[in-house]
């Protein structure tokens, strides 16, 4: 556990890559705003949900440039205890965690792998974006987390996803996928901040060698996607060793390119140099999102095209 007063020393190594570093540190003391995604698969009549929530005393505002996303005030409202939640009409979700699926651009009729899928925020977002008319394989290596994924698929009325439980690094070969999302296990530094009660919302992942796991996942995903297909690699961490260095490893091993992407939140290019190491120039086309600029979780997203 990293206490809030230890944060300045911990994040100091990122001073050069975090814009307005002092503002970033101050922002860690603010709780996250509360958002949800309205799930059209279960709830075709938006106004019923919005009125139902407003009757419970909350203010609900649409988020500009994020269709179907709403901001809720007050931000400590227990959305997860509402009837709207249990009926699968809404899915609480931070704004930046919606970005990897925006980059993926899934289409109806496509064959899509969500390699690290649990608890299913992004699998259900893919299902919604494709009108539940794609074929989605939602994989995760952890049975306990897969149970939460299955519960979410049911609650949100997703029929287009099946679940598997492989280590992504050895996911079996078969018909090549059109698109693959690798929302990788990471150190989660982008989630670091204080919660409503003053507690810290950060638990460092227990893995000892995350970059090695992440490289294994990304290379396998690349080998599983069709030529011309898309792999999106995302994490919620700031650490270049888990972001640019992982994608750099792929770009040097395989014929791939990073595709630039429009995002509805402020962002910065991926770094091309870190602690004396120089990365593939394509990494400037990846995107970094910071908590203090997005009022959300810090994220890294790279949209990668398989060339050969
Ligand atoms: C960042 S979380 C995924 C969040 C999920 N995409 C969502 O939006 O709800 C990373 C997930 O990777 C899973 N994971 C860790 N190592 C894995 C591996 N080697 N293969 C597949 N999944 C793995 C973890 O169990 C965890 O559920």
């Amino acid at each position: 556990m990293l206490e809030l007063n230890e944060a300045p020393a911990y994040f100091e190594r990122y001073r050069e890559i975090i814009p307005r570093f002092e503002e970033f540190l101050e922002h860690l003391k603010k709780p996250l705003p509360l958002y949800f995604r309205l799930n059209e698969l279960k709830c075709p009549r938006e106004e019923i949900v919005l009125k139902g929530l407003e009757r419970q005393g909350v203010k609900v505002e649409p988020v500009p440039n994020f269709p179907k996303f709403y901001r809720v005030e007050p931000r400590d409202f227990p959305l997860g205890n509402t009837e709207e939640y249990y009926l699968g009409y809404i899915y609480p979700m931070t704004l930046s965690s919606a970005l990897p699926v925006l980059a993926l651009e899934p289409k109806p009729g496509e064959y899509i792998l969500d390699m690290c899928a649990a608890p299913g925020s992004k699998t259900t977002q893919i299902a919604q974006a494709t009108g539940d008319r794609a074929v989605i394989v939602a994989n995760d290596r952890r049975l306990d987390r897969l149970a939460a994924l299955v519960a979410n698929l049911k609650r949100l009325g997703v029929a287009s996803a099946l679940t598997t439980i492989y280590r992504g690094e050895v996911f079996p070969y078969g018909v090549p996928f059109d698109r693959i999302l690798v929302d990788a296990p990471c150190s989660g530094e982008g989630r670091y901040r204080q919660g409503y009660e003053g507690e810290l919302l950060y638990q460092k992942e227990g893995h000892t060698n995350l970059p090695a796991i992440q490289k294994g996942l990304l290379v396998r995903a690349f080998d599983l996607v069709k030529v011309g297909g898309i792999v999106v690699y995302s994490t919620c961490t700031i650490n270049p060793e888990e972001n640019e260095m992982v994608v750099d490893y792929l770009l040097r091993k395989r014929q791939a390119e990073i595709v630039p992407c429009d995002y509805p939140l402020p962002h910065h290019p991926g770094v091309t140099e870190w602690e004396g190491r120089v990365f593939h120039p394509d990494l400037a086309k990846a995107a970094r999102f910071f908590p203090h600029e997005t009022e959300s979780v810090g994220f890294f997203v790279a949209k990668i095209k398989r060339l050969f």
Side-chain angles (χ1 to χ4, degrees), residues 119-120 123-124 127 138 148-159 161-163:
T123 311
T124 54
L149 167 67
V150 170
N152 278 328
L153 293 176
K154 278 199 164 172
R155 188 169 59 78
L156 271 72
V158 173
L162 59 91
T163 56

Side-chain angles (χ1 to χ4, degrees), residues 91 114-122 139-142 145 166-169 183-185 207 213 217:
Y91 191 98
D114 189 355
M115 191 176 249
C116 305
S121 318
K122 300 181 188 66
N139 176 72
D140 203 279
R141 75 168 292 180
R142 274 179 51 184
R145 291 179 62 91
Y166 291 105
R167 281 179 59 226
E169 301 91 318
D183 188 35
H207 292 294
I213 296 169
L217 292 168

Side-chain angles (χ1 to χ4, degrees), residues 98-157:
L99 298 165
V101 174
L102 298 185
L104 192 68
E105 291 191 285
K107 308 271 187 313
E110 288 184 332
Y111 185 39
I112 298 165
L113 173 62
D114 189 355
M115 191 176 249
C116 305
S121 318
K122 300 181 188 66
T123 311
T124 54
Q125 192 190 351
I126 295 170
Q128 189 173 341
T130 53
D132 214 15
R133 284 181 286 130
V135 176
I136 308 170
V137 180
N139 176 72
D140 203 279
R141 75 168 292 180
R142 274 179 51 184
L143 184 60
D144 55 333
R145 291 179 62 91
L146 207 66
L149 167 67
V150 170
N152 278 328
L153 293 176
K154 278 199 164 172
R155 188 169 59 78
L156 271 72

Side-chain angles (χ1 to χ4, degrees), residues 21-61:
F21 185 69
E22 303 301 333
E23 202 183 300
F24 162 79
L25 290 178
E26 269 312 295
H27 192 81
L28 301 179
K29 299 175 193 159
K30 280 172 71 180
L32 267 181
L34 181 63
Y35 297 97
F36 68 81
R37 193 181 83 230
L38 193 112
N39 174 34
E40 293 155 300
L41 300 179
K42 263 294 189 67
C43 173
R45 302 228 5 232
E46 208 154 324
E47 63 286 358
I48 295 182
V49 176
L50 303 184
K51 288 219 169 77
L53 287 171
E54 278 164 359
R55 270 201 295 275
Q56 297 168 56
V58 292
K59 203 169 133 213
V60 183
E61 298 270 355

Side-chain angles (χ1 to χ4, degrees), residues 71-223:
R71 181 167 176 156
V72 178
E73 294 280 357
R75 50 190 169 184
D76 59 351
F77 179 70
L79 265 186
N81 290 341
T82 59
E83 193 172 313
E84 287 77 5
Y85 175 85
Y86 287 114
L87 290 171
Y89 292 173
I90 60 172
Y91 191 98
M93 192 166 173
T94 61
L95 279 189
S96 50
S97 64
L99 298 165
V101 174
L102 298 185
L104 192 68
E105 291 191 285
K107 308 271 187 313
E110 288 184 332
Y111 185 39
I112 298 165
L113 173 62
D114 189 355
M115 191 176 249
C116 305
S121 318
K122 300 181 188 66
T123 311
T124 54
Q125 192 190 351
I126 295 170
Q128 189 173 341
T130 53
D132 214 15
R133 284 181 286 130
V135 176
I136 308 170
V137 180
N139 176 72
D140 203 279
R141 75 168 292 180
R142 274 179 51 184
L143 184 60
D144 55 333
R145 291 179 62 91
L146 207 66
L149 167 67
V150 170
N152 278 328
L153 293 176
K154 278 199 164 172
R155 188 169 59 78
L156 271 72
V158 173
S160 58
L162 59 91
T163 56
T164 56
I165 182 161
Y166 291 105
R167 281 179 59 226
E169 301 91 318
V170 293
F171 190 94
Y173 293 113
V175 177
F177 290 94
D178 295 299
R179 291 170 206 263
I180 300 182
L181 175 61
V182 184
D183 188 35
C186 70
S187 55
E189 292 168 345
R191 279 184 280 124
Y192 184 93
R193 69 164 72 212
Q194 193 165 287
Y196 310 112
E197 313 282 335
E199 86 286 21
L200 269 182
L201 302 180
Y202 179 64
Q203 281 291 333
K204 210 169 163 63
E205 271 280 336
H207 292 294
T208 48
N209 196 354
L210 283 163
I213 296 169
Q214 291 154 341
K215 285 173 189 165
L217 292 168
L218 183 57
V219 170
R220 188 62 156 208
F222 181 89
D223 292 343

